[in-house]
Amino acid sequence: MRRSLLVAMFAEEAGLVRAANALALEEVRIHDAYGPYPVHHLERALRIRASRLPWVTLAAGVAGMLTAIGFQFYAAVLDWPMNIGGKPDNSTLAFVPITFELTVLLAGLATVLAFLIRCRLFPRIDVRPVIDGVTEDRFALVLRKGDPSFDWSHLRRLLEKHGATEVRVTEAGA
């Protein structure tokens, strides 16, 4: 399935931010923005929500901690209890290093995996930019046609008013 995209090119980041804010005021949903480096204050105009990735990290870290403590308690107290120097079987201080290591390991692996899944970065996916060379020295805003009342000419004038050097309609695969 092919879809129509309106791509506006900008020479500087100030024009990109002005155009994105103007589109946000008109309730136009911006599909994506491209640039050679991160542009601050653009996420508000793009309506990007805060990431939920820290919650994945927290959940995996807690799971790693509980797994480490549970396994060590099982091994030291239930499965193979040893009386060494009269020390208690469930010596909490002895459990700290392995608990820390497993917490960090599971949290890190789960974060990387969740990031790759969320960004759809699977092996052998051929990623093509909307326009060649867009992230080398130019900035771009991409709008996707949403409904039949989408007014291309009005958006083109609005983008050019805010500093777009080039506005073109392209086709992209789904």
Side-chain angles (χ1 to χ4, degrees):
M1 179 179 157
R2 312 251 337 137
R3 59 179 186 241
S4 297
L5 301 173
L6 181 70
V7 181
M9 305 299 290
F10 296 88
E12 57 187 31
E13 73 175 76
L16 175 79
V17 173
R18 280 194 313 270
N21 286 328
L23 290 171
L25 288 176
E26 296 223 0
E27 299 295 322
V28 175
R29 182 166 167 77
I30 299 169
H31 175 64
D32 210 348
Y34 298 96
Y37 54 84
V39 178
H40 301 291
H41 309 296
L42 187 60
E43 63 273 357
R44 194 174 318 124
L46 294 177
R47 297 183 192 129
I48 295 176
R49 297 185 318 231
S51 175
R52 293 182 298 244
L53 210 52
W55 291 105
V56 172
T57 306
L58 176 67
V62 168
M65 179 185 71
L66 293 176
T67 301
I69 290 174
F71 178 72
Q72 290 178 91
F73 185 82
Y74 167 77
V77 176
L78 302 175
D79 188 42
W80 197 272
M82 297 176 128
N83 187 359
I84 300 175
K87 294 180 183 173
D89 293 336
N90 58 348
S91 178
T92 308
L93 288 177
F95 295 172
V96 170
I98 294 174
T99 302
F100 173 77
E101 292 297 330
L102 198 60
T103 300
V104 172
L105 176 69
L106 287 185
L109 290 176
T111 303
V112 169
L113 185 64
F115 176 76
L116 293 176
I117 290 170
R118 176 64 182 102
C119 293
R120 297 182 186 99
L121 295 174
F122 305 114
R124 294 192 210 128
I125 289 185
D126 186 24
V127 179
R128 293 190 183 115
V130 176
I131 293 179
D132 291 330
V134 72
T135 59
E136 292 174 8
D137 61 348
R138 298 180 289 177
F139 299 89
L141 277 179
V142 179
L143 307 174
R144 186 170 44 188
K145 186 173 182 178
D147 55 31
S149 65
F150 204 73
D151 188 6
W152 292 110
S153 59
H154 170 68
L155 291 176
R156 182 183 297 266
R157 286 190 306 272
L158 181 70
L159 291 166
E160 288 172 349
K161 174 184 165 191
H162 288 285
T165 57
E166 178 185 349
V167 180
R168 71 168 88 157
V169 176
T170 63
E171 295 288 323

